[in-house]
Amino acid sequence: MGIKNIESKSKTEKEALAAKDLPKQQAEKKNILDIIQGNKVWQVGITVFTIWALHSMSIVYSFHTNRQMFPTLERANPIGILIAALIAPCFEAYKRLFDYLFYGYFERILNPSKYSNDEEKERRTKKIVKYARGLIYYTTTSLFAFFAFRDQSFWPTWIGGSNTCPDIYTNAPDHFHIPYGNEFYLTQLGYHMWSFVEHFIRRKGEATYWEMNFHHALTVFLISYSFLLGE
């Protein structure tokens, strides 16, 4: 009799625990379903975008090959896209060097008592290293752009420039020469090419994988398109 009561009590406790965990399991299933559905939306978006981007680039190609359209207009050299692709691996070298030099430092300064296990601490360290690396890159390029372009007509006074953009579109589609403009464009393009490839290869399985693929692909397209149009 006592054994039956114990077994019955044990069964009841198990059922109670199962019932308690049910909402959590349902929430996890919903999150997984939301991620899958979200990924499909982004996959469809990338497919539509790719078709549109290829069509747009074909227009740019025509613009470069048909000299009857704006015959006197200076055109950007499409070889610049290849140069940007060659610059991209430099950012992989930058990432590896930065991680090698500073990963151990950031790992040491983190308080171990704030993390439940070594895996959680490792994830946090990697995130901090990534943010620090990005901060240095974006700060450097922003300062370069500020000092190199602040006297150009497209840089307004309200962000530290010396102009009010009065004639920025006066001679469109003709454009004026911008010192260091091509170098800046191609460096930015190379960086975002690397970001796209790095995310595509290394970030599989992340919740925002397809969303960020779309983001990086769109950025590469916009910079390439703008560069080829001489904008």
Side-chain angles (χ1 to χ4, degrees), residues 52-125:
W52 172 79
L54 290 174
H55 171 68
S56 299
M57 293 303 288
S58 71
I59 295 174
V60 176
Y61 178 77
S62 298
F63 170 75
H64 274 273
T65 55
N66 183 2
R67 290 290 172 172
Q68 294 178 351
M69 298 167 53
F70 310 111
T72 62
L73 182 64
E74 181 184 351
R75 287 156 166 79
N77 192 340
I79 296 298
I81 305 298
L82 177 60
I83 294 173
L86 296 176
I87 291 173
C90 296
F91 291 104
E92 175 65 19
Y94 164 64
K95 174 189 179 300
R96 290 173 180 264
L97 178 62
F98 189 92
D99 292 1
Y100 174 78
L101 293 175
F102 295 104
Y103 182 90
Y105 168 74
F106 285 115
E107 186 180 38
R108 287 192 299 273
I109 65 174
L110 288 178
N111 186 351
S113 63
K114 292 184 177 181
Y115 306 97
S116 57
N117 52 58
D118 291 339
E119 185 179 346
E120 184 181 348
K121 184 181 177 183
E122 181 182 359
R123 281 198 302 268
R124 183 64 175 174
T125 305

Side-chain angles (χ1 to χ4, degrees), residues 13-75:
E13 288 176 350
K14 288 180 180 178
E15 290 174 349
L17 289 172
K20 185 178 179 181
D21 290 338
L22 186 60
K24 182 179 178 182
Q25 293 171 355
Q26 290 174 338
E28 289 175 351
K29 288 180 180 179
K30 184 179 183 303
N31 289 337
I32 293 172
L33 184 61
D34 289 344
I35 291 171
I36 293 172
Q37 290 174 340
N39 283 342
K40 288 181 179 177
V41 170
W42 286 111
Q43 288 169 10
V44 171
I46 289 175
T47 302
V48 173
F49 163 75
T50 301
I51 295 171
W52 172 79
L54 290 174
H55 171 68
S56 299
M57 293 303 288
S58 71
I59 295 174
V60 176
Y61 178 77
S62 298
F63 170 75
H64 274 273
T65 55
N66 183 2
R67 290 290 172 172
Q68 294 178 351
M69 298 167 53
F70 310 111
T72 62
L73 182 64
E74 181 184 351
R75 287 156 166 79

Side-chain angles (χ1 to χ4, degrees), residues 7-20:
E7 289 177 349
S8 176
K9 184 177 179 181
S10 177
K11 183 178 179 181
T12 303
E13 288 176 350
K14 288 180 180 178
E15 290 174 349
L17 289 172
K20 185 178 179 181

Side-chain angles (χ1 to χ4, degrees), residues 137-172:
Y137 170 76
Y138 286 114
T139 300
T140 302
T141 54
S142 297
L143 288 173
F144 175 84
F146 177 77
F147 288 107
F149 307 136
R150 63 178 176 173
D151 292 328
Q152 297 294 330
S153 62
F154 58 80
W155 200 289
T157 54
W158 61 273
I159 53 173
S162 55
N163 291 285
T164 56
C165 309
D167 58 351
I168 190 169
Y169 295 115
T170 301
N171 298 316

